[in-house]
Amino acid sequence: MEPHYRPELIEPTTQHDWETGAAFLAQDTSDRPKYYCLSMFPYPSGKLHMGHVRNYTIGDVLARYHRMRGFNVLQPMGWDAFGLPAENAALANDVAPAGWTYANIEYMKKQLKSLGLAIDWSRELATCKPDYYRWEQWLFTRLFEKGVIYKKMATVNWDPVDHTVLANEQVIDGRGWRSGALVEKRDIPMYFFRITDYAEELLAELDNLPGWPERVKTMQRNWIGKSFGVEIHFPLNARHQAGGEVLKVFTTRADTLFGVTYVAVAAEHPLAQQAAVHNPALAEFIAECKQGSVAEADMATMEKKGMDTGLVVYHPFTNEPVPVYVANYVLMGYGEGAVMAVPAHDERDFAFAHKYALPIKAVIKPADAELALPLTAAYTEPGVLFDSGDFSGRSSADAIEKIALVLKNMALGERRTTFRLRDWGISRQRYWGCPIPIIHCPTCGDVPVPADQLPVVLPEDVKIDIGSPIKKMPSFYQCTCPKCGGPAERETDTMDTFVESSWYYARYACPGSDTAMLDGRANHWLPVDQYIGGIEHAILHLLYARFFHKLMRDEGLVTSNEPFTRLLTQGMVIAETFYRELGDGKKLWLNPADVEQVDGVYILKSDGKPVIAGGTEKMSKSKNNGVDPQAIIDQYGADTARLFMMFAAPPEQSLEWSDAGVEGAHRFLRRLWKAVSDHLEHGNVSAYSGGDIDDPEKALRRQLHQTIAKISDDIERRQQFNTAIAAVMELMNALAKLDATAPHARAVRQETLEAAVLMLSPIVPHICTALWAELRPGTRLLDQAWPSVDATALVQNEVELMLQINGKLRGKLTVPVNADKASLEAAALAHPDAQKHMEGRPAKKVIVVPGRLVNIVA
């Protein structure tokens, strides 16, 4: 056996053997139970980062473990390949997005293979390939014909630099997440998925996902945002009659209705537009409002501005006039684009009323106290109504029910359930995405592309400049209407890339299917048993994938209700940051590898001058604090990178990068190699299989089988890989102390080393493959089952208890496992450590906690 650990030799050889032997091909038909383990597929940005390494190693550990437990495992991989970064890179490097993307895929695939992942590459897909998005277009046309997808004008976040619509989540502090440009509002025609039709089911089904983190389910519940309230109608005419014009608002606090002192409408609301016709100042304010973001986070933090329209509506109960304001914090796309304002009982309205000198009228007070007037802050809690007409004296909850009933009888309102969730707008005004399969005909209107004409192929040989090239390509957009045969034009918008990532997990189950989006294999593999990805995908991707699964179910493509049975959201990989000030608030971020600490001061290695420590943050290009996985693999091997990633922190927590931690992981693998090498110096031996052994061997075997039980639970149920590794390390420490000259020492050592190699193999598969070949010549690690617990090894004749004197630990007491209380008291009192620390004092009391301790009160 090679005496030294040489990962640079072991890993390529092992990976070659796996590849030539098609070791990880999943079988669509098998007698074994299925286990579908999936990590979120990467965007082919060019290189793997440490977040990728952590994500895919976690998945690989679970996949390999379940393979050893007898499951038919599917672990596929693909590429989330459409998206704006490819266009930006194409613009910067004067290349076509397709060529840039395919080159990145080729390089990143080599990197993934160098990690030793047990992936079935025969199922590889890329979302930018026509054989993939063809079926996305097919489903689009079916849903469009059914009305599940529809077209309407929508107010959107428009990035004037990237020339595209941004989702609310892509707007940060009023600016585009990628360009940094101030976002504008625009009204454009867009296609929408009716995700709101599934809001109730998406919410209810969260209760049927016990394998999901509660944090993620809470985030989705909040995003769906089911709320119960009252729709209230404010008449536009003081002499309102049934059927007359009204302004509709929705509120969860109808109990505050008598405190309304103004209503606010969105800039796009018809009342605002009407008032602006003869009011230039208002028209200018409305134009200013349209420049802002429509993202809720920005709406919450921006300065609240408004302007009186000069119009009034009338209170449904008092018939008093209520002024109508245009306010920049009201969105036309939410509800009716209007809100009732109660400054006394809403913090935002309170600040707005103070700013514009509007009345503040309190109508709710605490149940057990009076309200101090005038208010210095909004009183936002429920309570008891006053100055509220016939509703005064009622509790908030009671008043809401009564007010809703009275309004309904007056035909001026009713109880309503609303959702925060809005329909999903998927039109994007960019090139590198899936073409929307619609033809615009001047005679027939919007016509879906017939199935036999799909896919609508995106041209790949293009030159990128400002705007989408296909909008300037008559060869792409000029076509014939499939209904009337007249001249028509193709839609040149493409789909939101979240559409591609909402169903890829299902396509993995049906590789090569060219007659259907999915076939019968989908129901064999789905739902995914284990899904792994970052917490940042808790809302958008995971919610859209759940929605898409229900769409596919309702189309008869799958039979399950949910796509992912169990979800693990791994934490970020973080590292130290360093920088130098450049002036004007600018910073030059320096990579930690280029910085060292000398006499407590951080300096740049290249010039020896000080740098500033910027704290520990997520690895990112912007902070230049990333570590190249390839550099770690080249220096230490993939197994070291995998071991460090699994050992440094529990998977759901942030992992702080540590060069010392990487070196420590590598040292452990060298010790493991040496332990096997030393053991085999005298040749191979069979593992212990029974017979009388001495107490030290019994103790080691007990620890071994306790470790097997613990690690099985750590990986399968708890998914705490760091504690599993720690248990193996403790076992190896115990093995090192075993007397090698004992009669059965080599057999017990063989058993322990074999089990340690098997237990570590899902985490560090290359070294374990090599070590197994040495320990058990002629057999393959890939064919081995997970080690089983020998119950007889766990039986103890003796137990070790803590010995305390007056509550302080003074020693340890070894006694027969079945010793009674009297025997334990006698043994404790006679123990030398007890005699020493009692110093001749009598025992006042002896407390026995069975299986744990004996405490002598002296």
Side-chain angles (χ1 to χ4, degrees):
M1 178 180 175
E2 165 67 44
H4 301 294
Y5 173 44
R6 301 282 301 278
E8 72 277 12
L9 300 179
I10 295 168
E11 293 181 359
T13 302
T14 305
Q15 290 165 13
H16 178 265
D17 290 346
W18 290 336
E19 187 161 358
T20 55
F24 307 118
L25 286 179
Q27 303 301 317
D28 290 323
T29 56
S30 173
D31 294 335
R32 294 175 293 159
K34 67 97 178 176
Y35 183 77
Y36 185 176
C37 183
L38 181 63
S39 297
M40 294 180 186
F41 63 170
Y43 179 78
S45 57
K47 288 183 178 181
L48 293 182
H49 55 67
M50 281 300 176
H52 289 131
V53 176
R54 190 179 196 197
N55 190 359
Y56 301 132
T57 303
I58 290 170
D60 200 51
V61 171
L62 291 168
R64 288 177 179 274
Y65 168 80
H66 280 85
R67 176 191 173 109
M68 296 177 76
R69 293 301 298 256
F71 286 84
N72 177 31
V73 174
L74 168 59
Q75 185 183 206
M77 183 59 70
W79 309 96
D80 191 9
F82 274 140
L84 193 56
E87 292 187 44
N88 292 337
L91 197 58
N93 301 304
D94 195 27
V95 295
W100 182 83
T101 300
Y102 295 138
N104 289 349
I105 286 174
E106 185 178 354
Y107 182 78
M108 290 177 70
K109 183 175 180 179
K110 289 179 181 177
Q111 286 190 300
L112 286 172
K113 287 187 172 183
S114 73
L115 282 170
L117 304 175
I119 287 170
D120 180 353
W121 285 104
S122 71
R123 297 170 187 259
E124 181 184 10
L125 60 82
T127 60
C128 63
K129 293 289 188 72
D131 61 354
Y132 180 82
Y133 64 73
R134 165 193 179 184
W135 297 109
E136 190 172 301
Q137 293 174 338
W138 171 83
L139 183 63
F140 182 103
T141 60
R142 289 177 65 88
L143 297 176
F144 183 79
E145 289 167 348
K146 292 182 176 182
V148 178
I149 293 175
Y150 63 96
K151 183 182 179 183
K152 71 168 184 176
M153 296 297 291
T155 302
V156 297
N157 300 310
W158 177 262
D159 188 314
V161 172
D162 281 339
H163 297 273
T164 190
V165 170
L166 300 177
N168 287 342
E169 297 70 31
Q170 294 171 323
V171 179
I172 301 169
D173 298 329
R175 295 179 179 272
W177 68 297
R178 188 169 296 279
S179 71
L182 282 170
V183 168
E184 302 172 0
K185 288 181 187 174
R186 283 197 183 180
D187 289 332
I188 64 171
M190 290 182 63
Y191 292 92
F192 287 80
F193 277 97
R194 292 188 192 274
I195 190 173
T196 51
D197 285 359
Y198 289 78
E200 193 71 65
E201 185 183 359
L202 287 166
L203 185 64
E205 283 287 332
L206 289 170
D207 294 332
N208 298 326
L209 295 173
W212 281 41
E214 201 57 45
R215 177 186 176 193
V216 173
K217 292 192 286 186
T218 297
M219 291 169 76
Q220 290 211 2
R221 287 189 185 100
N222 292 340
W223 189 259
I224 295 168
K226 186 177 184 179
S227 58
F228 303 95
V230 181
E231 181 182 275
I232 300 175
H233 300 174
F234 286 78
L236 269 59
N237 192 303
R239 295 184 178 86
H240 176 76
Q241 295 180 348
E245 287 187 288
V246 296
L247 176 71
K248 296 179 181 179
V249 303
F250 173 82
T251 179
T252 59
R253 293 296 305 273
D255 55 323
T256 66
L257 179 56
F258 282 83
V260 171
T261 60
Y262 70 97
V263 294
V265 299
E268 299 83 2
H269 195 281
L271 284 182
Q273 300 295 319
Q274 172 191 330
V277 172
H278 301 295
N279 187 336
L282 182 61
E284 185 178 342
F285 176 71
I286 288 173
E288 178 189 334
C289 290
K290 290 182 177 181
Q291 295 304 306
S293 160
V294 297
E296 279 188 76
D298 294 320
M299 302 292 281
T301 57
M302 71 182 180
E303 181 187 0
K304 308 301 185 289
K305 295 180 181 180
M307 184 173 285
D308 193 348
T309 64
L311 302 176
V312 296
V313 293
Y314 293 89
H315 196 285
F317 286 140
T318 68
N319 208 38
E320 293 175 355
V322 180
V324 178
Y325 271 68
V326 176
N328 65 347
Y329 60 81
V330 184
L331 293 175
M332 193 63 210
Y334 283 75
E336 301 290 338
V339 297
M340 73 179 208
V342 188
H345 304 296
D346 181 274
E347 292 175 358
R348 180 191 62 194
D349 298 345
F350 186 85
F352 191 92
H354 269 285
K355 183 172 184 177
Y356 293 102
L358 291 162
I360 298 174
K361 182 184 178 185
V363 293
I364 306 288
K365 64 180 181 179
D368 54 358
E370 291 300 314
L371 201 61
L373 299 174
L375 293 173
T376 56
Y379 178 72
T380 59
E381 299 299 317
V384 175
L385 278 67
F386 69 96
D387 288 349
S388 297
D390 293 340
F391 305 101
S392 295
R394 293 180 180 271
S395 69
S396 287
D398 184 36
I400 289 171
E401 295 296 330
K402 185 65 175 175
I403 287 170
L405 182 61
V406 174
L407 286 171
K408 184 175 182 180
N409 291 336
M410 296 170 64
L412 287 175
E414 60 182 341
R415 288 284 289 180
R416 266 188 58 196
T417 300
T418 65
F419 291 89
R420 180 176 177 271
L421 182 68
R422 294 293 175 262
D423 280 344
W424 176 15
I426 58 122
S427 299
R428 296 294 180 267
Q429 293 65 48
R430 53 180 175 243
Y431 155 71
W432 190 236
C434 172
I436 292 175
I438 293 291
I439 291 171
H440 304 297
C441 173
T443 303
C444 306
D446 293 343
V447 181
V449 176
D452 62 0
Q453 294 180 25
L454 295 176
V456 177
V457 176
L458 183 74
E460 293 188 351
D461 186 15
V462 299
K463 183 172 179 61
I464 296 293
D465 53 17
I466 300 302
S468 171
I470 58 175
K471 295 182 185 293
K472 309 163 192 173
M473 295 175 63
S475 60
F476 174 77
Y477 63 75
Q478 289 181 351
C479 63
T480 300
C481 174
K483 273 192 175 180
C484 69
E489 291 190 359
R490 293 191 188 281
E491 173 63 61
T492 55
D493 281 0
T494 55
M495 294 190 209
D496 181 358
T497 55
F498 275 113
V499 178
E500 283 86 66
S501 60
S502 293
W503 69 282
Y504 77 106
Y505 63 89
R507 185 65 183 180
Y508 280 139
C510 312
S513 176
D514 58 2
T515 58
M517 184 176 187
L518 303 176
D519 57 33
R521 292 173 290 177
N523 287 326
H524 168 71
W525 287 110
L526 296 175
V528 174
D529 296 283
Q530 178 68 65
Y531 198 37
I532 304 116
I535 189 70
E536 66 271 19
H537 300 294
I539 295 173
L540 292 183
H541 164 59
L542 288 170
L543 186 64
Y544 291 155
R546 294 181 61 224
F547 166 57
F548 233 79
H549 198 81
K550 297 175 194 310
L551 291 177
M552 294 191 293
R553 176 202 62 195
D554 292 349
E555 286 297 316
L557 298 169
V558 296
T559 55
S560 48
N561 292 325
E562 289 286 336
F564 314 119
T565 301
R566 194 171 182 185
L567 174 68
L568 189 158
T569 51
Q570 91 276 2
M572 299 180 295
V573 181
I574 59 178
E576 290 182 294
T577 60
F578 299 95
Y579 65 92
R580 280 182 175 162
E581 298 281 5
L582 296 178
D584 297 326
K586 295 181 179 178
K587 297 174 180 177
L588 173 64
W589 294 96
L590 305 165
N591 193 274
D594 300 326
V595 175
E596 63 182 349
Q597 192 173 25
V598 179
D599 297 329
V601 177
Y602 289 109
I603 63 169
L604 190 63
K605 293 177 183 177
S606 61
D607 61 17
K609 295 180 180 178
V611 300
I612 301 169
T616 302
E617 296 190 34
K618 177 184 176 180
M619 284 188 178
S620 67
K621 290 181 181 178
S622 63
K623 295 296 172 64
N624 192 20
N625 65 334
V627 176
D628 182 5
Q630 199 59 51
I632 301 301
I633 293 171
D634 292 344
Q635 183 175 357
Y636 296 105
D639 281 340
T640 292
R642 292 170 60 117
L643 182 65
F644 171 73
M645 283 293 180
M646 294 301 95
F647 183 57
E652 72 281 359
Q653 295 181 13
S654 292
L655 182 154
E656 184 169 356
W657 183 263
S658 163
D659 291 338
V662 174
E663 291 166 2
H666 192 62
R667 280 197 304 273
F668 172 73
L669 294 181
R670 290 204 308 267
R671 286 202 304 271
L672 176 67
W673 186 274
K674 187 175 187 305
V676 174
S677 177
D678 290 347
H679 170 70
L680 294 177
E681 274 187 350
H682 305 292
N684 290 87
V685 63
S686 297
Y688 174 81
S689 58
D692 291 334
I693 52 176
D694 295 335
D695 289 345
E697 285 88 352
K698 286 182 181 178
L700 180 62
R701 291 199 73 240
R702 185 180 308 116
Q703 183 174 348
L704 166 61
H705 289 277
Q706 288 171 342
T707 301
I708 294 171
K710 173 181 170 48
I711 292 178
S712 302
D713 185 60
D714 282 349
I715 294 179
E716 186 162 345
R717 183 181 66 86
R718 297 177 62 240
Q719 296 184 336
Q720 297 294 296
F721 313 109
N722 56 319
T723 55
I725 295 167
V728 177
M729 290 178 172
E730 292 171 6
L731 178 66
M732 295 302 295
N733 289 338
L735 177 64
K737 297 173 184 176
L738 183 67
D739 181 3
T741 63
H744 297 281
R746 291 204 71 225
V748 172
R749 182 181 291 274
Q750 178 80 16
E751 180 190 17
T752 305
L753 287 171
E754 285 183 10
V757 166
L758 291 173
M759 289 186 287
L760 285 171
S761 66
I763 300 164
V764 285
H766 305 91
I767 186 174
C768 289
T769 297
L771 291 176
W772 185 264
E774 298 291 346
L775 287 165
R776 294 280 294 274
T779 64
R780 291 196 319 162
L781 179 67
L782 279 175
D783 300 329
Q784 306 310 308
W786 185 256
S788 57
V789 176
D790 181 355
T792 62
L794 301 178
V795 176
Q796 290 181 257
N797 295 323
E798 293 182 327
V799 63
E800 189 174 72
L801 308 179
M802 290 185 289
L803 176 61
Q804 296 180 345
I805 309 298
N806 293 335
K808 293 185 178 180
L809 181 63
R810 298 301 189 185
K812 292 183 179 179
L813 187 67
T814 302
V815 295
V817 72
N818 57 355
D820 59 20
K821 183 179 179 183
S823 301
L824 293 175
E825 290 180 5
L829 290 168
H831 196 283
D833 288 335
Q835 297 289 326
K836 174 183 174 183
H837 290 284
M838 289 173 68
E839 298 174 340
R841 291 171 293 170
K844 187 175 180 181
K845 189 179 186 182
V846 180
I847 301 169
V848 175
V849 180
R852 290 187 57 200
L853 61 85
V854 179
N855 180 27
I856 301 171
V857 182

